[in-house]
């Protein structure tokens, strides 16, 4: 499903996507189209793209093709999801200790919609850190 979502192919495009969007959350999936965990995430992102188009815009970035942000955002995981609003990185407290990004595939569409909506509402109020509607601290235990 990755081919249905817009790809950003260089650092300038990524910067412009983050800078130019004033009213919506910019959701960027960093990773590879061929990676299995990215395929799961892309499927979910494609499934919700139409539902969140009023308050979020979704882009995909290949971290091999565009390595400009790998060190800055510590993109060492196969699949990473990050949120930006008005040129500001929005962190999400998910109970995992890493508030900068989501580095596992989210399979539930409603769960991801709720997460993006929480990011949007918090970012509009000027918050740089929002609390996730679900606690993911025990995700690895089950």
């Amino acid at each position: 499903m990755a081919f249905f979502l817009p790809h950003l192919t260089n650092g300038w495009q990524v910067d412009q996507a983050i800078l130019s969007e004033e009213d919506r959350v910019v959701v960027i999936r960093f990773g590879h189209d061929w990676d299995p965990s990215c395929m799961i995430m892309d499927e979910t992102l494609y499934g919700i793209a139409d539902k969140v188009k009023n308050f979020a815009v979704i882009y995909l970035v290949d971290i091999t093709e565009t390595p400009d942000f790998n060190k800055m955002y510590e993109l060492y995981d196969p699949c990473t999801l990050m949120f930006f609003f008005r040129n500001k990185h929005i962190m999400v407290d998910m109970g995992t200790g890493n508030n900068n990004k989501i580095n596992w595939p989210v399979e539930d569409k409603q769960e991801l919609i709720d997460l993006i909506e929480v990011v949007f509402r918090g970012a509009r109020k000027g918050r740089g850190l929002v609390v996730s509607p679900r606690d993911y601290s025990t995700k690895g235990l089950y």
Side-chain angles (χ1 to χ4, degrees):
M1 289 299 152
F3 51 89
F4 287 122
L5 295 168
H7 284 71
L8 303 175
T9 56
N10 58 43
W12 184 82
Q13 287 181 342
V14 175
D15 282 338
Q16 290 305 306
I18 294 169
L19 285 168
S20 64
E21 194 59 57
E22 287 292 320
D23 301 327
R24 300 185 290 177
V25 171
V26 177
V27 181
I28 301 180
R29 191 273 292 151
F30 294 97
H32 302 286
D33 292 344
W34 49 262
D35 187 86
S37 60
C38 283
M39 287 180 189
I40 295 168
M41 182 65 93
D42 292 347
E43 183 83 30
T44 310
L45 289 170
Y46 174 70
I48 68 163
D50 198 45
K51 294 176 182 160
V52 300
K53 68 182 177 192
N54 293 330
F55 59 91
V57 60
I58 299 168
Y59 295 108
L60 308 181
V61 176
D62 188 311
I63 57 175
T64 305
E65 190 178 317
T66 312
D68 307 3
F69 302 96
N70 292 359
K71 278 201 166 141
M72 186 188 336
Y73 295 136
E74 299 174 357
L75 302 173
Y76 308 121
D77 302 304
C79 184
T80 302
L81 193 69
M82 296 183 77
F83 306 98
F84 301 89
F85 186 74
R86 294 184 182 154
N87 195 25
K88 185 178 176 188
H89 176 225
I90 306 299
M91 296 186 289
V92 183
D93 182 8
M94 307 187 92
T96 59
N98 185 358
N99 296 340
N100 294 322
K101 58 193 175 231
I102 298 173
N103 53 8
W104 65 88
V106 179
E107 296 182 51
D108 185 15
K109 291 177 184 172
Q110 188 58 48
E111 189 177 312
L112 193 55
I113 291 171
D114 293 345
L115 185 60
I116 295 171
E117 190 174 353
V118 164
V119 169
F120 175 70
R121 289 180 185 205
R124 268 200 11 220
K125 293 178 183 175
R127 297 191 178 123
L129 174 68
V130 296
V131 179
S132 166
R134 181 172 168 218
D135 183 23
Y136 292 87
S137 61
T138 58
K139 183 180 185 305
L141 298 177
Y142 302 107

